[in-house]
Amino acid sequence: MRTKIRIIAITISVFFYISLIASPRIFPTGVTIYNLSKAYNGYVIFASPDAKTHLIDMNGNEVHKWDYIGFPSELLDPKVTGGKKGHVLLQLENGIGGNSGIFNNKVVGEVDWNGNVVWQWGKEAPGGEARQNHDWNRLANGNTLLVVTVDHIVSGVSEKPIADQAIYEVTPAGKIVWSWNAGDHIDEFGITPEGRELLRKVYGNGGKGPGFLTINDMQPIGSNKWFDGGDKRFDPDNIVIDSREASFIAIIEKKTGKIVWRIGGDYGNGTETNVGNANFATSPSLRPTLSNKVPRPIDQTSGQHDAHIIPKGLPGEGNLLVFDNEGPSGYPPTRISTQHGSRILEIDPIKMEIVWQYTALDSEQPVWDFFSSYISIARRLPNGNTLIDEGMNGRIFQVTAAGEIVWEYVSPYFTKYQQNSKSIFTNWVFRAQPVPYDWVPEGTPRSEITVEEIDITKFRVPAKTK
């Protein structure tokens, strides 16, 4: 869309880092490209820093809004709501207000199309506050899986309680019937002795935040060909997670809590080690961002988000899809490219190969034209396109398998908040979810009018004359 020349200086701190980016101060918002014949048509839902959740159509019109933020806002499949359409998981009461409340919320819940609360959870949580963040899922049995922050001592890492993350399965009545703590599995995440020492130096005396590993994604695997073929690691009830801080992707065996499949954190020297029924893959640390050769062995990811198994019935089903941010990450820190650029990777989890990828190069742009050092998602669509949220820039777009951008939207929902004692103006989008037309009430408006891409080499803002 727009050429962004970026000069980036990044510093890693305890739980976050600061990105300094030179990019245009003024740029278009709304839908800037829409190829009606090549795009997959549907709605898109996302929460924005204005503390609201927006549902838009293909021309960027807001067709519905909820006055709550979500981290993420998740519109539910009617199959798990008894056929009721337009129900959304949201954060109902933030703990300390503003954007920081997305990590310290007190109450979360499900609201209907009209904003009525039909389920909520928080007071029943340990400590009386939900502290949900990064992900949740409604299960077929009516229960809800949530990623939450908990405080406790992590053996071998801290002498005092630190912010850890757990996964809870919560019944409609609010009872926790299954739980899993990341800190209890520190030895299973592929963190090197050097990395463990770094963890101890940072967290040995305690620490707060969203979680020392930042589990930013949590997705049940669902029905898949690998399990159908006899691979029990891919049991539909097992859960895919990824860690932003430690740069690993893993599968949790729900029955035991053990890690049964993993890539990362440090990708080592190109070897693969099999431990029991788990397949712990490593490959060269150097991250060849500019390489477009596929298939090829998995290479180093850094600060990745939204790792999940592509659902049955979609192109690439059974493969793992992930937004590889190339944000600072890792214990020890991963090596990242001189020319920063994010990637979308589709990975065969059995062969441990990258079988498809997207970078800005695939859209005939410089590699740095597609880059989000944190947040963001990638989702496969029924026609083979991939919906991408370049989160830190509030840009949501669709690409074909060949990398052609056929739909693009830049969020116009900005707000000001404090970062490092400075007031900043931002339109970040943590996650965007594609929503089929039949998941919302009948009669919801929608527009499908082609938007031709502007030739930016010829477009000029008219100069004012006296």
Side-chain angles (χ1 to χ4, degrees), residues 261-399:
W261 181 97
R262 192 197 75 231
I263 55 176
D266 180 45
Y267 284 61
N269 58 7
T271 63
E272 181 177 298
T273 305
N274 294 303
V275 181
N277 196 38
N279 199 358
F280 298 100
T282 60
S283 58
S285 296
L286 186 60
R287 184 176 179 279
T289 302
L290 301 181
S291 174
N292 62 357
K293 180 183 177 181
V294 290
R296 70 174 188 273
I298 298 169
D299 50 60
Q300 181 73 55
T301 62
S302 189
Q304 73 291 314
H305 283 71
D306 198 39
H308 64 280
I309 298 296
I310 298 173
K312 235 179 186 181
L314 295 180
E317 64 174 66
N319 290 337
L320 185 140
L321 195 65
V322 62
F323 190 111
D324 180 18
N325 297 72
E326 197 173 42
S329 178
Y331 301 110
T334 57
R335 290 186 285 172
I336 53 181
S337 306
T338 301
Q339 296 180 346
H340 277 36
S342 297
R343 307 182 295 177
I344 309 303
L345 301 179
E346 181 181 336
I347 296 169
D348 183 321
I350 306 301
K351 295 181 179 179
M352 297 297 185
E353 291 181 338
I354 297 170
V355 295
W356 178 82
Q357 75 169 20
Y358 170 78
T359 73
L361 298 176
D362 297 298
S363 299
E364 300 181 337
Q365 298 171 289
V367 68
W368 56 81
D369 259 20
F370 169 52
F371 177 57
S372 181
S373 63
Y374 67 106
I375 57 180
S376 310
I377 65 97
R379 297 293 171 89
R380 184 57 45 79
L381 299 171
N383 69 345
N385 290 354
T386 301
L387 181 75
I388 299 169
D389 166 31
E390 186 184 3
M392 75 180 191
N393 296 312
R395 177 185 177 221
I396 307 166
F397 62 107
Q398 280 188 37
V399 297

Side-chain angles (χ1 to χ4, degrees), residues 95-313:
I96 55 178
N99 290 282
S100 54
I102 57 181
F103 297 108
N104 299 281
N105 57 80
K106 293 181 179 180
V107 181
V108 299
E110 175 188 346
V111 302
D112 66 14
W113 185 251
N114 296 316
N116 301 307
V117 177
V118 297
W119 175 77
Q120 60 183 318
W121 184 78
K123 293 181 180 179
E124 310 91 336
E129 295 185 354
R131 301 180 73 187
Q132 177 273 336
N133 57 85
H134 287 97
D135 219 347
W136 42 14
N137 286 271
R138 176 61 51 80
L139 302 177
N141 64 4
N143 293 349
T144 304
L145 284 178
L146 309 98
V147 176
V148 301
T149 299
V150 295
D151 297 322
H152 73 112
I153 295 172
V154 177
S155 178
V157 172
S158 65
E159 303 297 329
K160 298 178 181 179
I162 63 173
D164 190 8
Q165 283 173 293
I167 301 173
Y168 292 157
E169 181 176 346
V170 179
T171 68
K175 182 180 179 181
I176 298 173
V177 292
W178 181 85
S179 65
W180 179 90
N181 271 65
D184 294 339
H185 299 269
I186 190 71
D187 292 331
E188 301 175 61
F189 295 142
I191 300 173
T192 65
E194 179 187 357
R196 291 290 287 269
E197 184 59 31
L198 287 172
L199 278 170
R200 283 190 288 270
K201 287 180 179 179
V202 174
Y203 297 103
N205 292 319
K208 301 296 181 180
F212 77 106
L213 295 174
T214 311
I215 302 300
N216 61 45
D217 176 74
M218 178 271 304
Q219 299 281 333
I221 292 177
S223 299
N224 65 90
K225 63 183 181 181
W226 312 122
F227 182 74
D228 293 345
D231 194 329
K232 296 181 179 179
R233 297 174 300 173
F234 296 87
D235 187 304
D237 290 334
N238 289 353
I239 298 168
V240 180
I241 61 170
D242 64 55
S243 166
R244 193 218 168 280
E245 300 301 328
S247 284
F248 67 77
I249 303 169
I251 293 177
I252 303 167
E253 185 176 58
K254 185 116 183 282
K255 293 178 182 178
T256 65
K258 295 180 179 179
I259 301 300
V260 294
W261 181 97
R262 192 197 75 231
I263 55 176
D266 180 45
Y267 284 61
N269 58 7
T271 63
E272 181 177 298
T273 305
N274 294 303
V275 181
N277 196 38
N279 199 358
F280 298 100
T282 60
S283 58
S285 296
L286 186 60
R287 184 176 179 279
T289 302
L290 301 181
S291 174
N292 62 357
K293 180 183 177 181
V294 290
R296 70 174 188 273
I298 298 169
D299 50 60
Q300 181 73 55
T301 62
S302 189
Q304 73 291 314
H305 283 71
D306 198 39
H308 64 280
I309 298 296
I310 298 173
K312 235 179 186 181

Side-chain angles (χ1 to χ4, degrees), residues 69-88:
I69 197 170
F71 206 66
S73 299
E74 186 82 9
L75 199 141
L76 297 172
D77 185 338
K79 291 179 181 178
V80 297
T81 61
K84 298 174 182 177
K85 298 183 177 183
H87 285 219
V88 187

